[in-house]
Each structure stands twice: as C-alpha cells, then as structure tokens.
Amino acid sequence: MTTAPTVMKREFTMFSALSVAFAFVSPIVAVYSVLGIGLSASGPSFVWGGLALYAGQFVLVLTLGILASKWADSGGIYQWSRRLLGHRYGWFASWVYICTLLITLPAVAYAGAVLLPPIFDIPDAGHVAVTWLAVGLLAFSTIVNLAGRGFIKVLVVGVIVAEAIGSVGVAVWLLFFERHQTLDYISPANLGDFQGLFFSAPFIMAIAFSSYFAIGFESASSIAEEVQRPKRAVPKAMVVSFFAIMIIVMLSTLAFTLAVPSDAFLQDPDNAADPAVAILAMSFPAPVFRGILALFVIAFAASLMTIQITASRLIWATARNGELPFARKLTALSGDTGLPRTAVLVAAVLAALLFIPFQNEGIQMALISFSSVGFFISFLFPVLGLAIARVRGSWRDEPGLFLGRAGRVVSWLALVWLLFQIVNVAWPRETGAGWATDWSTIIGVGVVGVLGVIVEAWVHRKRLHAASTGSTIVVFERDESEDDIEEFNSVRA
C-alpha cells in the first residue's frame, strides 16, 4: 500500500515560477480588460497612469521579494502574514486573498469567453451563451491543473508564444503600419480638466483603472514549495516577470492608443466598450483578426490556469495549518508527485458558482473593480505586518535576504503606496449607473469582511478548543530547515 505524500515534489524551475507569474495576468489579459474604461475615463494619456502604477508596484514587488527570500512556503501572502503577526492575522490575509482569487476566476473566464463567438463568426451571443463558454474555459483550466505539472509547463510555453505574437507582434504592427496619431496625442495635456475631489482627477483615475496592469507577479510565491531552490528563485521570478509584463503592457497600450483613428471612434458606444477588439477588426483582414482573437483566448486560458494554481495552493496551505473547514480533506495530496487535486476542484466549484451573477449585464466591471482592490488589500497584509514587525524589533534584515539593508526603505515606501492605491481603487466614482454600482467595490469589501469575521470566529473557537484539550488542528507543519540546507548546498555547488 502506497503512503499518500505530505509534501509536493519540486518539479518547477525558476523559469516555471517566472512563467506562472507572467501568465497570471498576462499582458493580453491586462490590456484587453481595462483599455476601454481607461481611455474613456482618462483620455489618450491613460498610458501615463500605467507608468505611475508600475513605479508604485516596483517597490511592492521588491518588498514581497524580501519576504519570499526568508520564507519559501506555498501560499506566500498567507504564510508571510502568519509568520509575521500570528495565526489570526494570517487567516484574514488568506481569507481576503482566497475571495479575491475566486472572484477573479469568473471575471477573467467571462472576459475570455466574450472573444470566442467572433472567432467562429457567431453574432449576438447572449449572456447565457457566453457564461456557459466561460464555464467551459474554467473546466479546461481545471483539467490541466489536475493532469500534472508537465501539462502546466507545456501550456505556459504556449502562452509565452501567444504573447509574443498576440502582444508584441500586434503592437509592432500597429505602431509601424496602423498608427493614426502622433506622440502629441498622449501628451499629459490630454488628461483633461477637472473640478472636484483629488480622486476624481483623470490622472489619479488612470492609476486606479490600470491596476490590472501589474498584479500576478506574487503568484510565483504560491508554488514556492514546488520550485527548486525557492529562496533564490522566487524573488528573481517575481522581479523578472514584473519587468517583462511592464514592457509588453506599456508597448501594447501605446500601440493601441496611437492606433485610435479619431476621438469620434472612441465616442461610438460599440468601439468604446472594446476598443482593442475594434482596432484589431479595423486593422487586420477577417481571417487574421480571428487568429489574433484565438491567441487572446489562449492567453486568457493560461491566466485562468495560473490563477487557479494560486487559489488552490493558498487553500491547501491554509488548510494544512488547520485554518479551514474540512482541513484534512483539503490538505490531501494525490499522485506520485503530490498534487493538491482536492483544493483544485474546490476552487473550480466555488468559482463556477460565482457565474450566477453574470446574468446581470453590469456585473463584469464591478467584479473587476473588486478583484483589483482585493489584490491590493491582500498585498497590504504582509507589507503592514513587516512594518509592525520592524517597529516591534521582531524582524532582522539578515545578510542573505533579498535587497539586504536596502529593504527597510523600500518596504516603508511600499506601505505608503498600498494605502494610497487601496483608497484610489475603491473610491466611489460616479458612473451614472446608480449608487449601488458606484459603491459596489466598498460594498463587496464589506461583505467579504463580515463573512470573514464570522468564519474566523468559528476557526478560532476550534483552535482554542484544540489547545485546551492538548490536541492539535494542524494537519502538517513543513520543516523549513530543508530549504536552508538546499540553498546552502546549491551555493557550495
């Protein structure tokens, strides 16, 4: 009888971790998801908001790199928060991040499914049809994640090829052959005038709406226990994927913006809703256009796969510490290499249930807005925890850590940036769709918070009962010393 594995096999390399982070929210997904709302809210100089966002996110990725170089656990954000400020703090970090990922899954699946009907020249596909197509994409992602890491590696290579053609290739073509505007078109002067509150300024809104441009790099930490020499590989993977995404996204955003024929083009409701697709349809013959959309769908499918990887590893890691209901079931690993298949299936089922609201026409943007602020709140947990640990004196900048002593300044800058961006993304701006839509992000955060307090109270009572009876609810505690031995041996080699 074969004993079930308790640890996952290290079959991923640094390139694998980099690829997972790159595919999480690929340049194609990032640009397609927010280009329309960005151009409508901030005008053609929306690109400057993206640059400001990357400046802020740069200090964040460096800060998370510090934590990844100290603790190489699956479910990075949860594990870092737990180790910095304790179980209860870590639990809320995990709860917010799990909810964010589960809401992001249907949002990305639906956005990718919208591209399928035009590929097959199917007009007027309704919400119900697109929803079922999105469920199909999620099912495909689940099958790949259940199949094993070898299949994941193949699909990740496929998405890199798709990005090379669908992002870089299309961007270069648009810049050289379909450019209708000069660089003056993206002048900061075109941000427009405004009167009112600070967060209503077009430039500030551009930073908020471009949030999807720079998330996902942290997903490299979600597979840390499956990566060889993770304390060195994961921080490098996060930084390299960050710059790769930044370069391609800004190139694509610039190319699409300069390819806008006129202001009247963006004033057309059909074009304003999906300007990237409208520009592609105008710039390429129908067969080429459909081929490009097929590459887009590949990118969306790979993004789904890596988001589901991150969600399942986070669920698995949280359950391993006895912090979720049915912990022993969720922590089960299967296969010779140890895959958290139960956690993968649970993430898929919960995400599929969230497709029900998509019968509401306005829900897509609300879910994207919530997932954006959810990511920044999730990032805040470990960064704030690190700041508190520094003040308490319980954190030491050890010589072997990423950035070394420079990490102190960087981490404080990251904390200030996150506080600003959370307020910026969640700010209830007028959309004309009613107060519920304007406040939907804050309402969503409130609902997740209230549910989190209720569930955590149950988990905490279970934790206290275990302590009083001398038992334990921890299913498995990983031996970190193995990481240090592996790192030491790799340096000597």
Side-chain angles (χ1 to χ4, degrees):
M1 182 175 177
T2 304
T3 303
T6 57
V7 295
M8 291 184 281
K9 192 171 181 179
R10 297 191 184 277
E11 294 186 308
F12 286 137
T13 62
M14 190 197 81
F15 178 76
S16 303
L18 186 159
S19 301
V20 166
F22 182 85
F24 185 101
V25 176
S26 71
I28 286 176
V29 175
V31 173
Y32 176 79
S33 297
V34 299
L35 183 64
I37 188 172
L39 290 176
S40 64
S42 303
S45 53
F46 171 62
V47 63
W48 296 108
L51 287 173
L53 174 83
Y54 278 117
Q57 291 294 86
F58 179 58
V59 295
L60 174 62
V61 70
L62 292 178
T63 301
L64 298 187
I66 296 170
L67 295 171
S69 68
K70 183 173 179 64
W71 295 304
D73 300 288
S74 291
I77 285 177
Y78 156 67
Q79 297 285 14
W80 303 331
S81 302
R82 178 178 72 91
R83 294 181 183 280
L84 286 166
L85 294 184
H87 281 285
R88 302 195 77 174
Y89 187 78
W91 189 92
F92 279 104
S94 176
W95 173 259
V96 173
Y97 198 28
I98 288 173
C99 291
T100 298
L101 292 168
L102 292 179
I103 290 173
T104 303
L105 277 169
V108 171
Y110 191 88
V114 169
L115 300 174
L116 285 170
I119 294 175
F120 301 100
D121 201 20
I122 301 174
D124 303 324
H127 292 296
V128 175
V130 174
T131 298
W132 281 110
L133 289 172
V135 172
L137 284 177
L138 180 60
F140 171 76
S141 167
T142 303
I143 291 171
V144 173
N145 275 315
L146 292 174
R149 298 182 186 92
F151 290 93
I152 293 172
K153 292 178 182 179
V154 170
L155 187 57
V156 165
V157 171
V159 75
I160 292 175
V161 174
E163 288 287 355
I165 301 172
S167 285
V168 179
V170 168
V172 171
W173 179 271
L174 292 177
L175 284 173
F176 279 91
F177 302 105
E178 296 292 339
R179 191 175 68 184
H180 299 283
Q181 306 291 340
T182 65
L183 290 178
D184 291 337
Y185 187 64
I186 62 170
S187 167
N190 287 329
L191 279 169
D193 299 325
F194 79 100
Q195 293 180 346
L197 296 172
F198 174 77
F199 288 101
S200 297
F203 178 64
I204 303 302
M205 289 195 296
I207 298 175
F209 295 139
S210 61
S211 295
Y212 249 42
F213 283 2
I215 56 177
F217 54 82
E218 81 289 346
S219 60
S221 67
S222 69
I223 61 170
E225 292 178 35
E226 302 164 74
V227 177
Q228 301 164 12
R229 297 182 292 278
K231 291 187 176 182
R232 291 177 177 269
V234 171
K236 290 180 181 178
M238 289 197 293
V239 173
V240 174
S241 65
F242 173 84
F243 279 107
I245 293 171
M246 180 186 72
I247 293 170
I248 298 175
V249 165
M250 296 313 301
L251 176 66
S252 299
T253 304
L254 177 65
F256 277 108
T257 302
L258 296 181
V260 173
S262 64
D263 291 337
F265 177 86
L266 292 177
Q267 293 169 2
D268 185 315
D270 293 334
N271 296 335
D274 293 306
V277 172
I279 289 170
L280 290 174
M282 176 188 66
S283 304
F284 294 95
V288 177
F289 167 67
R290 287 195 286 269
I292 293 173
L293 290 187
L295 293 175
F296 278 27
V297 172
I298 293 173
F300 273 90
S303 179
L304 270 178
M305 180 193 70
T306 50
I307 294 171
Q308 192 175 13
I309 287 175
T310 305
S312 63
R313 271 49 171 186
L314 182 59
I315 291 171
W316 177 81
T318 308
R320 182 175 63 180
N321 291 103
E323 303 281 13
L324 289 177
F326 311 108
R328 294 193 182 278
K329 293 289 185 182
L330 292 173
T331 311
L333 295 175
S334 57
D336 294 336
T337 59
L339 287 171
R341 288 184 172 134
T342 302
V344 171
L345 288 171
V346 168
V349 170
L350 292 175
L353 292 175
L354 291 174
F355 277 106
I356 296 174
F358 278 99
Q359 308 313 310
N360 182 327
E361 187 172 353
I363 197 68
Q364 171 72 2
M365 188 48 64
L367 290 182
I368 288 178
S369 298
F370 171 79
S371 63
S372 295
V373 77
F375 278 107
F376 287 106
I377 294 174
S378 300
F379 297 149
L380 180 64
F381 275 96
V383 174
L384 178 61
L386 177 58
I388 294 174
R390 287 185 186 279
V391 172
R392 289 178 175 177
S394 57
W395 173 271
R396 294 289 182 270
D397 290 307
E398 301 167 3
L401 293 182
F402 185 65
L403 289 188
R405 293 182 179 179
R408 179 180 294 272
V409 176
V410 169
S411 62
W412 284 109
L413 290 174
L415 178 60
V416 173
W417 158 251
L418 283 174
L419 293 173
F420 161 77
Q421 188 65 351
I422 289 170
V423 176
N424 190 22
V425 175
W427 194 263
R429 300 176 175 92
E430 293 185 10
T431 62
W435 71 270
T437 300
D438 298 344
W439 289 80
S440 61
T441 301
I442 294 177
I443 293 171
V445 171
V447 170
V448 168
V450 170
L451 290 175
V453 169
I454 295 172
V455 177
E456 198 279 334
W458 178 86
V459 171
H460 188 58
R461 284 197 300 270
K462 184 179 177 182
R463 191 186 298 123
L464 291 176
H465 175 73
S468 65
T469 58
S471 59
T472 178
I473 59 173
V474 176
V475 178
F476 176 75
E477 187 72 45
R478 194 173 68 88
D479 184 4
E480 289 184 83
S481 62
E482 296 178 359
D483 296 336
D484 296 325
I485 293 172
E486 186 178 3
E487 294 290 337
F488 177 75
N489 290 335
S490 68
V491 172
R492 289 187 63 187

